[in-house]
């Protein structure tokens, strides 16, 4: 029955391709068991005709012109009332639409003009269409080759019971008409009236409304996803082996670790990399065929045979380290290529240790040039996302192996093909869950799990959600999986690591209160009392489109300046929930006070001009001109960031660089926090295949923004007074600032390493200068200071 229902729903979706809009809409809703004859004819089905067709009894309904320009056609499909819902035997009634029946659903279909729409645009139209009606309006959007079902939550007004307050909008977005995603079909089936009747007691409008809300609950979707991923994680930990943290040349027989905690950390790292790539796949930046079992079988030797790890090495490692971390061949010819020979170090010294060259050509069933073509249309991302962790030890100059991306077979990891592609494995997880009932758990391969869910690159907010897995799930996965084992006891480590997931609503509250307090202290001369000022700031931060300072350009300028100067530090950043919430809300404020980014862009240019002006103090003309030339290149970067991407890209990029910082004791937490920020930048980039790197700006390096350290253990500070106006310290601080800016934007791995080394040297010089400036130097204090600064440098 389930398969038949899914087939009917799929057919009703495909019916939109070429069929008349109203008939297609009725067929689609009928497939979900919603049927009614309560309808009416519009004067005409344009946006203007829609407005003229209704008498709103004095309510002002003035759709924004920008929105009505997007409406190509509107159909009022039908209305389902409370009486009809409670009538179990039939939903057919021959009455006209009644605009005064509060307890009813109104179904509208809106055909839009463009090929694709961002979530915020669809949410805005949904709110506009709901404002004039007393009942919830469920909107089906049709555009390009896609459908989106949009549902709004409403609650009675606390003071005026005759009115509703429009709350969260939930969307089932971008349903592909020709080939609907399995996850979309499943959620639509769950929303069908017969399915809801099986899972809930539906006796009327209120019951149906509650059932819809529970079915569309994102937290339940995330929990379901996590349960499947957790089972897979335990299975993977039992199967994988990665290199030990050892130096090459160590005289031991077994180079692969059997330690459960080593395995757990490597599996979590693998999982986060793969999930991030899944988000890239949603943006059409990585071809789906690389994860298709039937295709992979034709290009990889011994694929899925017992003990085979060929897929992980040949496809995933080459994708991680030699594709996403290397510039495209169309931009830099012959940059993405295989090492010349698997073991010919004497003949290929220049390639030794280079982790951006393809390896494992012997595992492919196709020629080298064909293997390279598998990855040719994947853009270079940079940002340290997929840096290979096989690094040279600074002291011994020997390579430390962690990822095992090497030609040395003894150091290559074991990650069985079945972990990705197995249809069904039955495993005993009773020990992992401490539950005897978990002796026979069915687990699918990772890609089978991921293919069951729809992913979205846009982070959900408290007022708009897409029924899909958003980047926040990276945080959920991390904060649950990393808490599974304590290195000493092998038991749950959630309390010992402080790993807790903070719900989105609480994060939103913390963000709003922090920003309101900051803005109140940063901005002067409002001409408002404190209560009115706070009320206006709350309106500014809300998702209501109204800007309370719209006619006060001086205040808006102060708000922009305050945001640009803000410094936000999360000392226990976890997976980045708080700084990500701050980033989203700050970008939202900028959208309100500077909708076209004119002031925000000018501020970035002004800061650049200021930095260039300071260089006049440099006496050496050659060094001064070299530095000026480097800074002038940034002018083009600023222009490109604002001109060739969505408006939010330029806002987010410079907020991340100048304002946001995070620290956490766990390195994997820092990695995941960075991933969320990378995704937030990718979502606002425009793909243009005629441009270099398909128009995708390589991601920034966030090493100086998110740092692994323990902020709870303080360093003993020495006594003494430091001259804050010391010229030498100021010059060193400026050099450090410039170095960090270069590091943030560099794309070259060697250049990145050089800048990190340079930053260490500058910090050491600052430390030494501070030591010189301290006085009251008793012998005991000198020893304390030496200890303090040694710790600070490390």
């Amino acid at each position: 029955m389930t398969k038949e229902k899914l087939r009917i729903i799929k057919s009703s979706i495909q019916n939109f391709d070429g069929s008349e809009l109203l008939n297609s809409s009725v067929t689609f809703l009928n497939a979900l068991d919603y049927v009614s004859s309560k309808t009416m004819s519009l004067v005409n089905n344009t946006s203007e005709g829609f407005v003229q067709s209704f008498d709103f009894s004095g309510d002002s309904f003035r759709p924004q012109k920008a929105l009505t320009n997007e409406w190509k056609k509107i159909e009022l499909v039908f209305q389902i009332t409370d009486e009809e819902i409670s009538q179990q035997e039939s939903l057919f009634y021959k009455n006209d639409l009644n605009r005064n029946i509060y307890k009813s659903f109104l179904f509208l279909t809106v055909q839009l003009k463009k090929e694709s729409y961002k979530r915020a645009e669809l949410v805005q139209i949904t709110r506009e269409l709901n404002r004039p009606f007393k009942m919830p309006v469920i909107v089906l959007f049709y555009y390009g080759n896609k459908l989106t079902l949009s549902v709004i939550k409403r609650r009675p007004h606390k003071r005026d019971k005759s009115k509703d307050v429009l709350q969260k909008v939930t969307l089932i977005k971008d349903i592909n008409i020709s080939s609907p995603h399995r996850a979309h079909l499943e959620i639509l089936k769950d929303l069908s009236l017969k399915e809801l009747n099986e899972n809930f007691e539906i006796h009327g409008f209120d019951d149906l409304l509650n059932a819809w809300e529970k079915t569309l609950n994102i937290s339940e979707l995330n929990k379901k996803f996590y349960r499947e991923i957790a089972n897979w994680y335990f299975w993977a930990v039992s199967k994988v082996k990665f290199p030990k943290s050892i130096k090459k040349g160590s005289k031991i027989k077994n180079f692969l670790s059997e330690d459960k905690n080593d395995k757990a950390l490597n599996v979590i790292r693998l999982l986060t990399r793969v999930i991030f790539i899944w988000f890239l796949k949603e943006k059409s930046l990585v071809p789906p065929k690389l994860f298709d079992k039937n295709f992979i079988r034709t290009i990889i030797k011994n694929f899925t045979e017992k003990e085979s790890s060929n897929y992980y090495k040949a496809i995933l490692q080459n994708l991680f380290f030699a594709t996403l971390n290397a510039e495209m061949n169309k931009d830099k010819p012959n940059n993405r290529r295989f090492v010349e020979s698997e073991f010919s170090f004497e003949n290929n010294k220049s390639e030794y240790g280079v982790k951006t060259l393809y390896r494992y050509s012997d595992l492919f069933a196709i020629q080298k040039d064909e293997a390279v073509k598998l990855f040719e249309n994947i853009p270079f991302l940079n940002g340290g996302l997929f840096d290979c962790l096989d690094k040279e030890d600074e002291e011994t100059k020997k390579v430390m192996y962690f990822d095992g991306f090497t030609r040395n077979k003894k150091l290559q990891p074991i990650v069985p093909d079945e972990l990705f592609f197995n249809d069904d494995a039955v495993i005993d997880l009773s020990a992992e869950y401490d539950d005897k009932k978990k002796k026979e758990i069915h687990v699918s391969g990772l890609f089978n799990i991921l293919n069951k869910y729809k992913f979205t690159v846009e982070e959900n907010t408290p007022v708009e959600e897409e029924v899909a897995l958003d980047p926040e799930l990276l945080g959920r996965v991390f904060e649950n999986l990393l808490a599974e084992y304590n290195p000493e006891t092998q038991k749950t480590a959630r309390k010992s690591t402080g790993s807790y997931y903070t719900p989105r609503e609480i994060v939103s509250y913390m963000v709003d209160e922090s920003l309101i307090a900051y803005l109140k202290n940063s901005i002067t001369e409002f001409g408002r009392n404190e209560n009115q000022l706070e009320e206006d700031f709350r309106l500014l931060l809300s998702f209501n489109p109204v800007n309370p300072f719209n006619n006060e350009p001086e205040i808006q300028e102060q708000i922009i300046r305050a945001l640009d100067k803000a410094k936000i530090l999360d000392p226990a950043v976890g997976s980045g929930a708080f700084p990500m919430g701050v980033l989203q809300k700050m970008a939202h404020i900028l959208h309100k006070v500077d909708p076209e980014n004119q002031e925000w862009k000018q501020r970035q240019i002004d800061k650049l001009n200021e930095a260039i002006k300071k260089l006049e103090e440099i006496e050496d003309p050659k060094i001064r001109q070299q530095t000026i030339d480097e800074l002038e290149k940034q002018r083009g970067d600023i222009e490109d960031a604002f001109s060739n991407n969505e408006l939010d890209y330029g806002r987010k990029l410079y907020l991340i660089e100048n304002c946001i910082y995070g620290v956490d004791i766990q390195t994997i937490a820092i990695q995941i926090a960075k991933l969320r920020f990378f995704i937030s930048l990718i979502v606002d980039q425009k793909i243009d295949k005629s441009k270099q790197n398909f128009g995708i700006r390589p991601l920034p390096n966030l090493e100086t923004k998110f740092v692994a350290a323990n902020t709870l253990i303080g360093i003993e500070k020495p006594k003494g007074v430091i001259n804050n106006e010391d010229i030498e310290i100021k010059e060193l601080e400026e050099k450090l600032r410039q170095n960090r800016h270069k590091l943030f934007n560099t794309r070259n791995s060697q250049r990145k390493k050089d800048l990190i080394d340079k930053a260490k040297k500058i910090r050491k010089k600052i430390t030494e200068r501070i030591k010189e400036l301290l006085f009251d130097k008793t012998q005991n204090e000198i020893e304390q200071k030496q200890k303090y600064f040694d710790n600070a440098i490390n």
Side-chain angles (χ1 to χ4, degrees), residues 277-293:
I277 286 174
W278 225 254
F279 285 113
L280 296 181
K281 195 161 69 77
E282 283 300 308
K283 190 79 175 171
S284 300
L285 295 175
V286 178
K289 67 181 181 180
L290 293 181
F291 316 101
D292 182 85
K293 187 175 182 177

Side-chain angles (χ1 to χ4, degrees), residues 13 51 85 122 155 159 186 208 336 396 400 456 465 482 508 623 698 734 744 764:
I13 292 169
V51 176
I85 295 166
L122 301 179
R155 67 166 174 81
R159 291 188 296 273
E186 290 283 353
L208 184 57
R336 291 182 181 176
T396 64
M400 300 281 286
T456 173
E465 285 188 340
L482 202 61
S508 181
I623 294 176
E734 178 59 26
F744 186 80
K764 187 173 182 179

